[in-house]
Amino acid sequence: MQSLGTLEELPKEYRGKLTDLNLVPLWPSMRAVLPYSVPSRKTQTLNWNYDSVRPLLLEAGELTPMERAERRVLVLANPGHGLTNMQATPSIYLGLQLILPGETAPNHRHTPNAVRIIVEGEGAYTTVDGEPCRMDRGDLILTPSGKWHEHCHEGDGPIVWLDVLDLPLIYQLEGSWAIEGQPQQKKLNRDKSFAEYSAAGVVPNINFERASAASPMLRYPWSKTRSCLAEMAEHYAEGLLRISYVNPETGASLFPSIGFGALMLRPGETISLPRRTTACVFHAVEGAGQLQVDDGDEVSWQARDTLTAPGYTEIRLSNDSKTDPAFLITADEAPLHRYLGIF
Ligand code: GTQ
């Protein structure tokens, strides 16, 4: 490959004239933006160990009342992207959110899409456009772009969940904004959308109309996902045990930007995920093990930890236990890569 001219080779005076007119020569930066064969990746392989983060999150509960936070969140910022940019991967934002008993994170809606993955605690619910979605460990609660949502906690201990948003992408597109609303009237006692879609392959047909492209199901309980993976394991003695979370009407990913899935590792198993273009997020729901990216160092993880790995790599995950399975929820940018034709 030919080496290209550098900035320093250009006369200082010429560079100054370019700058004055807001011009930049391409060739000195050409290889940086179009590297040969493999893209440059800022996403670092990381584990945010929950046991380390939890005390700081609880301290935030003492330091900052809800009125002064609105959302009491510690953002899992991948240093490769710059801590203040709040990116776990190029387009995925991750945050651990704490609500204490009796607190409410007030009603609002915004353009970014969000999923909550419940990490610890019980007795909380998120009301999404009037529908209270209960939040149990490992559940996915969807608040698609534009839907009102407020989080309430009527349980005893703290509740913590992982927020997964396409905020970095929407922000980059200069499309990120929010509005506050009055507290929601709970129109229902429980999540209707889950009742409607609680049986696989069965969808409601009561004055039924597909009103929106967003997934109509707002809560994906972990108990269902776990039993599906466990039953799959009875049929497959080997091979990846993996599911995708989809819109039950269309089979599309939950959001156009982020795809969600879950993996089961059999006792003692090491799996290798095929090399793909997209960076990936892992949240360990059960078990403990190792993650290795290409020939890099191994990172240990345990239940409730959250990890990231860059794209274009081979990812190996292993289960430390010889007796029990391990389960991880995944999030990646595959839908966006597919749409853009770069997957
Ligand atoms: O719960 O609505 O972590 O609006 C970041 C922005 C959570 C939320 C975040 C948000 C929320």
Side-chain angles (χ1 to χ4, degrees):
M1 208 181 5
Q2 202 165 339
S3 79
L4 301 177
T6 66
L7 212 48
E8 292 68 36
E9 280 166 27
L10 296 168
K12 215 172 170 188
E13 204 192 326
Y14 176 73
R15 277 149 59 188
K17 284 185 201 160
L18 291 181
T19 306
D20 287 346
L21 291 178
N22 301 311
L23 297 169
V24 171
L26 170 63
W27 57 97
S29 311
M30 175 101 166
R31 301 282 188 241
V33 293
L34 288 169
Y36 188 69
S37 177
V38 176
S40 56
R41 285 139 299 159
K42 297 180 187 166
T43 307
Q44 292 176 9
T45 304
L46 269 191
N47 180 12
W48 287 271
N49 171 245
Y50 187 64
D51 285 349
S52 308
V53 178
R54 188 180 188 274
L56 295 175
L57 195 53
L58 292 179
E59 205 175 328
E62 291 164 21
L63 294 170
T64 307
M66 196 53 103
E67 305 77 64
R68 303 274 290 143
E70 244 172 68
R71 297 296 189 264
R72 195 192 287 115
V73 176
L74 293 180
V75 179
L76 311 187
N78 198 305
H81 291 282
L83 283 183
T84 52
N85 291 323
M86 301 200 280
Q87 289 164 283
T89 71
S91 43
I92 299 179
Y93 158 107
L94 299 175
L96 284 166
Q97 179 163 173
L98 167 72
I99 304 210
L100 296 169
E103 288 183 335
T104 295
N107 191 28
H108 75 179
R109 60 192 189 123
H110 43 66
T111 45
N113 292 285
V115 155
R116 335 277 160 191
I117 301 173
I118 317 314
V119 180
E120 174 186 341
E122 47 194 50
Y125 56 92
T126 295
T127 308
V128 186
D129 277 358
E131 202 176 310
C133 297
R134 58 178 284 179
M135 305 173 95
D136 289 334
R137 170 99 187 103
D139 290 359
L140 260 58
I141 311 292
L142 272 60
T143 58
S145 176
K147 286 197 189 283
W148 290 108
H149 54 281
E150 72 188 302
H151 313 296
C152 305
H153 186 23
E154 294 170 354
D156 291 331
I159 176 124
V160 177
W161 62 78
L162 179 68
D163 288 313
V164 186
L165 280 76
D166 54 11
L167 179 64
L169 173 71
I170 306 295
Y171 181 76
Q172 274 302 316
L173 296 173
E174 300 184 348
S176 181
W177 57 279
I179 51 174
E180 288 171 33
Q182 296 300 315
Q184 289 188 51
Q185 302 296 322
K186 238 201 290 174
K187 287 183 276 185
L188 305 161
N189 288 326
R190 52 157 297 192
D191 33 10
K192 170 167 145 278
S193 68
F194 174 64
E196 288 173 330
Y197 292 94
S198 56
V202 175
V203 300
N205 189 10
I206 320 158
N207 299 326
F208 181 65
E209 194 185 328
R210 286 175 186 83
S212 149
S215 176
M217 190 163 152
L218 299 175
R219 182 167 73 92
Y220 289 71
W222 175 248
S223 57
K224 295 262 178 189
T225 305
R226 191 192 191 286
S227 69
C228 174
L229 284 164
E231 287 196 39
M232 279 168 67
E234 290 178 17
H235 291 275
Y236 299 95
E238 55 189 56
L240 281 185
L241 294 169
R242 177 156 66 168
I243 61 92
S244 294
Y245 290 93
V246 297
N247 175 328
E249 291 285 348
T250 64
S253 59
L254 298 189
F255 300 142
S257 48
I258 310 178
F260 291 85
L263 286 164
M264 173 177 151
L265 304 179
R266 301 174 182 86
E269 185 178 45
T270 297
I271 63 167
S272 178
L273 299 177
R275 203 177 287 273
R276 300 188 321 159
T277 55
T278 169
C280 197
V281 172
F282 299 94
H283 176 74
V285 185
E286 269 179 56
Q290 313 294 320
L291 171 131
Q292 190 184 31
V293 170
D294 287 336
D295 299 324
D297 295 336
E298 278 195 331
V299 179
S300 298
W301 52 265
Q302 60 185 32
R304 304 179 207 273
D305 289 356
T306 303
L307 303 97
T308 50
Y312 285 79
T313 56
E314 190 187 333
I315 298 170
R316 271 179 303 287
L317 286 163
S318 56
N319 177 359
D320 282 350
S321 171
K322 298 277 176 276
T323 50
D324 297 314
F327 295 89
L328 300 123
I329 293 174
T330 64
D332 64 34
E333 293 155 345
L336 195 56
H337 282 219
R338 283 185 206 278
Y339 180 73
L340 296 171
I342 61 168
F343 187 70

